[in-house]
Amino acid sequence: MLSVKNLHASVEGTAILNGINLEIKPGEVHAIMGPNGSGKSTLASVLAGREEYEVTAGEVTFKGKDLLELSPEDRAREGVFLAFQYPVEIPGVSSTNFLRTAVNQVREYRGQEPLDAVKFLSLMKEKMKLVEIDQKLLSRALNEGFSGGEKKKNEIFQMAVLEPTLSILDETDSGLDIDALKVVAHGVNQLKSKDNATIVVTHYQRLLDYIVPDYVHVLFNGQIVKSGTKELALELEEKGYDWIKDEVSGTAV
Amino acid sequence: MTLSLKKDHKLLDLFLKSESVKTDLPAFSDLKAESRLVLEKAGFPVAKSEEYKYTNISKKIADTIENPYAPYPISGLEKVEIQKELIQSIDGYRIIINNGTPDFNLSDAGDGLFDVDYFTDLDPSEVKEIGKIEKSEKDPFSALNTLSFTQGIKINIPEGSVIKKPLLLVNYVKADENGSCIHPRVFIKAGKNSQATIIELSIYLNEETVFVNSVSEWDVAQNAHIRHYKLQDGHKHTLEVHNTGANVHRDANLTSVVMSLEAGMIRNNLSLNLNASNCEGNMYGLYLLNGKTHVDNHTNVDHTQPHCQSNELYKGILTDHSRGVFNGKIFVRQIAQKTNAFQQNNNILLSEDATVNTKPQLEIWADDVKCSHGCTTGQLDEEALFYLRARGIGKESARALLLYAFAGEVLDKISVAPFKKYCEKLVHERLGGSY
Ligand SMILES: Nc1ncnc2c1ncn2[C@@H]1O[C@H](COP(=O)(O)OP(=O)(O)OP(=O)(O)O)[C@@H](O)[C@H]1O
Ligand SMILES: [Mg+2]
């Protein structure tokens, strides 16, 4: 589904991603871990199409298409979803109006009829239940004044409504208490199918107890320096990242 | 007679000369003589004048207005299509001004809720009130209006009158070979405990260069609640100066919303005198500018008594080579304790050549007050734009959604639903994008 080959990216002339290779097949869950500043969010942003990042080398194909050629909106319409590490507050734009616009533009791209108000509302209701999000939140302006946890829940709610094929969750678990974490994980698991895939970026192995990954990758200095199964996450939790850093510098010598 | 104006001629000569051929209004001769003296002394603002330093409208008028006289009244106004479409969508009392002269034949009667009178029909005691709120010394263009108006209207809302439907003050404007300068004049007296909403708009019947120089005076009596919405949606060759002054009395409330969507150059001077305790003045504005349009909002709120509140929010979206100017003066006099005064001016620049000059000017002599002000000028929020696009919303609609949300905060201040809808439609069209 997603194939990342030798991806290099920089921002304002500084190289941040230095040759990422990643293969993701339908039905898989990949966890990406790594120290602060290693480039996890940058990778997520580059995949979602943020324009500040310049891809200097490499290629990314998504469902056979050259992803890097597509605008951010077309990537979303193709089925890429990024749950932001820091969701943006957008005063004056109502959550409902925003989501309806998004849903219908995605549908239009896929040659589907737009949802009318009634159908849209029932879709909202169904997904609200799934992520246990309060109706009151959605009657407010998008993310405005939401708590950290509410913002993260809202990301998963949007994901549920948009039903992407590839979801990239950038630290969706950070700042969530254990109950909210369970709800979010439950939502993600409910949406999992053999046709879609998920990338979870996280610092905490705790999340991976609920969203069980098929693979765990460690990102360091803009490269995936180690990949393994879920046991790797446990090892990282226990030992931190230093041993990996040592390993990397060891091989470099 | 046509008088061609060259750059090097003084605007003053031009207008004073044009004035001398006008029919005089005996009841107003003293007032006019006084304003003439004021104007002769002060002259029109030049590039260096502090109050007009970003808005050299004098030069603009001198450069483009060839003929300082008023055009003839427009004939066949009752048949004008545009009147049906827009004006009749709003269920209200129409007051029609034809090239600066009120036309009562086309206007609606006030159902006993209010009266409209020509200035020439006023009692001497009423005549005395004219020019007291908007004094000639305050602004040369205000003085010019006082000197030049040939008729005016007084809208009298009697004590206790609650007018549910809005009053629609419609200025029809059409420059012609006779002239292209119009000096509309309105005096509104809102009696004790009265309530009214006044919507003011101008309809330009051609795209000739025209100079509209209006003065409105508002006397808002005790516990009156008045809302004033003004839509400025002309064309690229309008030059406009609007002087609006209000005296707001005890427990009264005046809300002004000014939307400037299309013009050549506009200068709005809005001043509220909060003259007694517990009154409230609200000033809101929205300007969407493109091309070379230049809009300057100068506001002034004077807190002269304790326990009053003023709120001010002006927002602008500017593109191309347009220019916006905002100057907000807030005075809080020494006895005006417990004053609340808030002011905000926010601008979004969509092009590198658009500019905004914004300046808050607070002079506070009282010590127990809550005052805040802030101004921002920036680009569209790129983070927000990316967020929306990352959800599948196209770039153009995402931009429109964000800009509309920005403008919406001002549009939300309009309480008359069909008029709000009409303004929303105009703003939507301007901001583009389908969503
Ligand atoms: N727009 C930018 N301008 C300059 N530097 C940037 C920009 N975005 C990211 N960086 C830098 O790139 C590096 C990688 O950042 P990134 O946000 O991808 O890290 P991360 O792995 O997600 O970290 P965290 O765990 O803290 O979220 C950091 O050193 C960061 O400062
Ligand atoms: Mg990050």
Side-chain angles (χ1 to χ4, degrees):
Chain A
M1 171 189 290
L2 180 79
S3 163
V4 180
K5 292 205 176 93
N6 190 32
L7 182 65
H8 286 70
S10 62
V11 61
E12 286 158 13
T14 312
I16 296 173
L17 301 184
N18 302 304
I20 303 262
N21 292 294
L22 189 63
E23 291 290 331
I24 296 181
K25 295 195 187 64
E28 292 180 348
V29 175
H30 290 242
I32 296 181
M33 305 183 79
N36 293 126
S38 57
K40 304 179 298 294
S41 294
T42 303
L43 174 61
S45 298
V46 169
L47 294 178
R50 195 188 280 267
E51 280 154 357
E52 298 101 278
Y53 297 95
E54 193 197 345
V55 174
T56 48
E59 55 189 69
V60 180
T61 50
F62 176 65
K63 296 193 297 190
K65 284 192 181 144
D66 181 355
L67 192 70
L68 301 177
E69 281 291 295
L70 301 178
S71 64
E73 53 269 34
D74 281 351
R75 296 180 197 202
R77 293 161 181 174
E78 288 287 346
V80 176
F81 181 91
L82 169 63
F84 285 63
Q85 181 175 4
Y86 305 109
V88 188
E89 298 199 13
I90 308 188
V93 173
S94 85
S95 299
T96 335
N97 187 22
F98 150 73
L99 254 188
R100 190 166 169 203
T101 307
V103 166
N104 283 337
Q105 291 202 7
V106 169
R107 291 179 68 87
E108 189 183 341
Y109 181 85
R110 296 178 184 165
Q112 296 163 316
E113 288 290 304
L115 291 186
D116 62 29
V118 177
K119 288 209 183 93
F120 176 72
L121 214 70
S122 64
L123 175 71
M124 292 269 283
K125 284 223 174 93
E126 177 199 328
K127 305 298 183 181
M128 268 157 54
K129 239 185 254 155
L130 188 72
V131 298
E132 298 178 23
I133 195 165
D134 196 341
Q135 166 104 51
K136 268 188 246 137
L137 271 187
L138 300 176
S139 62
R140 283 166 41 186
L142 186 51
N143 290 329
E144 197 186 26
F146 285 26
S147 72
E150 288 169 340
K151 283 180 186 162
K152 295 301 176 76
K153 259 195 187 179
N154 194 20
E155 294 293 287
I156 300 305
F157 171 67
Q158 292 171 27
M159 173 182 142
V161 171
L162 292 167
E163 296 181 336
T165 27
L166 175 68
S167 305
I168 306 163
L169 312 183
D170 191 359
E171 295 198 27
T172 304
D173 56 328
S174 300
L176 292 187
D177 60 32
I178 191 72
D179 294 332
L181 181 77
K182 280 184 195 163
V183 171
V184 163
H186 175 72
V188 172
N189 288 329
Q190 289 286 302
L191 296 165
K192 238 164 63 179
S193 80
K194 63 175 182 16
D195 301 318
N196 60 26
T198 312
I199 298 175
V200 267
V201 174
T202 183
H203 286 289
Y204 308 106
Q205 115 80 22
R206 183 181 72 162
L207 174 71
L208 305 178
D209 287 341
Y210 299 99
I211 304 175
V212 183
D214 300 296
Y215 300 96
V216 174
H217 309 279
V218 179
L219 196 63
F220 181 62
N221 276 343
Q223 283 183 314
I224 290 178
V225 293
K226 199 169 183 69
S227 296
T229 51
K230 60 177 194 273
E231 286 71 28
L232 177 58
L234 284 169
E235 204 176 348
L236 289 170
E237 181 95 343
E238 208 176 295
K239 302 202 276 185
Y241 289 106
D242 284 350
W243 64 281
I244 294 205
K245 290 181 191 169
D246 292 344
E247 245 183 59
V248 173
S249 48
T251 50
V253 172
Chain B
M1 135 181 188
T2 3
L3 191 138
S4 165
L5 177 70
K6 296 269 155 43
K7 262 183 203 165
D8 47 340
H9 276 71
K10 287 235 165 63
L11 212 52
L12 199 56
D13 291 346
L14 176 81
F15 281 112
L16 293 182
K17 238 178 250 168
S18 85
E19 181 51 29
S20 59
V21 298
K22 275 192 186 135
T23 51
D24 65 347
L25 301 168
F28 295 91
S29 56
D30 287 354
L31 181 68
K32 283 171 173 282
E34 186 196 310
S35 66
R36 185 185 182 108
L37 287 177
V38 169
L39 194 56
E40 276 172 349
K41 190 155 164 253
F44 286 97
V46 291
K48 289 196 297 267
S49 308
E50 181 60 27
E51 283 298 303
Y52 280 82
K53 68 177 172 188
Y54 299 115
T55 303
N56 196 350
I57 195 159
S58 305
K59 181 174 186 322
K60 200 92 182 160
I61 297 164
D63 285 351
T64 55
I65 297 291
E66 299 197 333
N67 192 340
Y69 304 102
Y72 291 118
I74 306 153
S75 58
L77 203 51
E78 62 280 6
K79 293 198 199 82
V80 174
E81 260 332 283
I82 201 156
Q83 183 178 328
K84 283 187 205 135
E85 192 188 300
L86 154 67
I87 313 302
Q88 295 192 350
S89 73
I90 302 166
D91 182 21
Y93 301 100
R94 289 162 304 176
I95 299 167
I96 304 297
I97 316 280
N98 180 342
N99 267 343
T101 308
D103 184 335
F104 290 170
N105 290 328
L106 293 179
S107 303
D108 296 318
D111 285 348
L113 294 168
F114 66 94
D115 308 299
V116 187
D117 291 306
Y118 291 123
F119 272 14
T120 44
D121 292 336
L122 298 181
D123 298 338
S125 65
E126 293 179 291
V127 167
K128 271 207 203 104
E129 292 181 302
I130 311 296
K132 286 286 183 298
I133 299 176
E134 270 298 314
K135 293 204 177 72
S136 288
E137 299 83 49
K138 220 164 78 181
D139 181 84
F141 292 100
S142 183
L144 176 67
N145 175 288
T146 302
L147 176 63
S148 310
F149 69 74
T150 50
Q151 185 56 287
I153 51 168
K154 177 180 177 182
I155 300 175
N156 189 43
I157 304 164
E159 191 176 323
S161 176
V162 175
I163 313 175
K164 293 234 164 65
K165 293 199 242 173
L167 276 64
L168 280 175
L169 201 56
V170 190
N171 286 287
Y172 285 94
V173 178
K174 186 180 184 185
D176 63 18
E177 61 282 357
N178 188 55
S180 46
C181 293
I182 294 170
H183 305 276
R185 180 83 178 209
V186 179
F187 185 92
I188 297 175
K189 195 173 176 78
K192 211 167 146 182
N193 298 324
S194 67
Q195 285 182 35
T197 301
I198 293 152
I199 298 173
E200 197 177 334
L201 34 97
S202 295
I203 294 174
Y204 294 86
L205 299 180
N206 63 21
E207 298 212 350
E208 298 293 315
T209 300
V210 62
F211 171 46
V212 177
N213 179 41
S214 81
V215 169
S216 308
E217 296 176 280
W218 298 68
D219 187 20
V220 183
Q222 194 173 333
N223 200 38
H225 286 68
I226 302 297
R227 291 182 283 228
H228 180 219
Y229 308 137
K230 190 164 181 150
L231 176 61
Q232 301 179 322
D233 188 27
H235 56 77
K236 287 281 184 245
H237 305 287
T238 68
L239 304 174
E240 305 176 43
V241 179
H242 301 279
N243 277 290
T244 306
N247 283 349
V248 186
H249 301 283
R250 198 185 169 89
D251 307 321
N253 180 310
L254 177 68
T255 296
S256 159
V257 185
V258 180
M259 284 152 296
S260 310
L261 304 184
E262 185 67 289
M265 186 180 268
I266 299 181
R267 167 63 173 253
N268 292 313
N269 292 322
L270 172 63
S271 41
L272 306 188
N273 301 314
L274 304 183
N275 277 346
S277 87
N278 194 39
C279 60
E280 181 175 330
N282 300 310
M283 297 176 281
Y284 305 116
L286 174 68
Y287 38 100
L288 305 187
L289 312 182
N290 62 15
K292 288 183 173 172
T293 301
H294 180 129
V295 171
D296 177 343
N297 282 294
H298 265 61
T299 65
N300 183 337
V301 56
D302 196 352
H303 286 262
T304 64
Q305 296 294 325
H307 296 286
C308 293
Q309 165 137 354
S310 64
N311 299 296
E312 181 164 23
L313 175 68
Y314 274 73
K315 294 184 118 177
I317 300 173
L318 295 90
T319 186
D320 302 336
H321 285 76
S322 61
R323 184 164 199 172
V325 180
F326 174 80
N327 180 292
K329 293 187 183 69
I330 299 177
F331 294 96
V332 181
R333 310 283 165 177
Q334 197 166 3
I335 60 161
Q337 301 293 357
K338 307 283 179 194
T339 287
N340 286 335
F342 304 106
Q343 181 188 90
Q344 268 292 325
N345 174 235
N346 306 116
N347 300 284
I348 294 180
L349 301 181
L350 298 177
S351 78
E352 287 195 351
D353 298 318
T355 49
V356 166
N357 302 97
T358 172
K359 185 179 176 191
Q361 246 177 292
L362 277 64
E363 292 186 30
I364 299 169
W365 290 286
D367 45 33
D368 186 9
V369 300
K370 265 193 233 156
C371 286
S372 74
H373 67 89
C375 49
T376 59
T377 300
Q379 274 86 46
L380 196 62
D381 182 352
E382 288 293 332
E383 289 289 311
L385 194 62
F386 178 66
Y387 188 83
L388 298 178
R389 294 177 73 192
R391 296 293 175 257
I393 299 176
K395 191 175 181 181
E396 284 311 308
S397 355
R399 272 169 60 102
L401 202 61
L402 292 175
L403 292 174
Y404 192 78
F406 178 82
E409 203 185 345
V410 176
L411 292 173
D412 282 345
K413 307 294 183 190
I414 301 171
S415 63
V416 178
F419 181 63
K420 183 179 178 193
K421 218 169 140 189
Y422 178 73
C423 294
E424 283 172 345
K425 194 187 101 193
L426 293 179
V427 171
H428 264 294
E429 282 167 7
R430 277 291 292 281
L431 299 178
S434 57
Y435 57 88

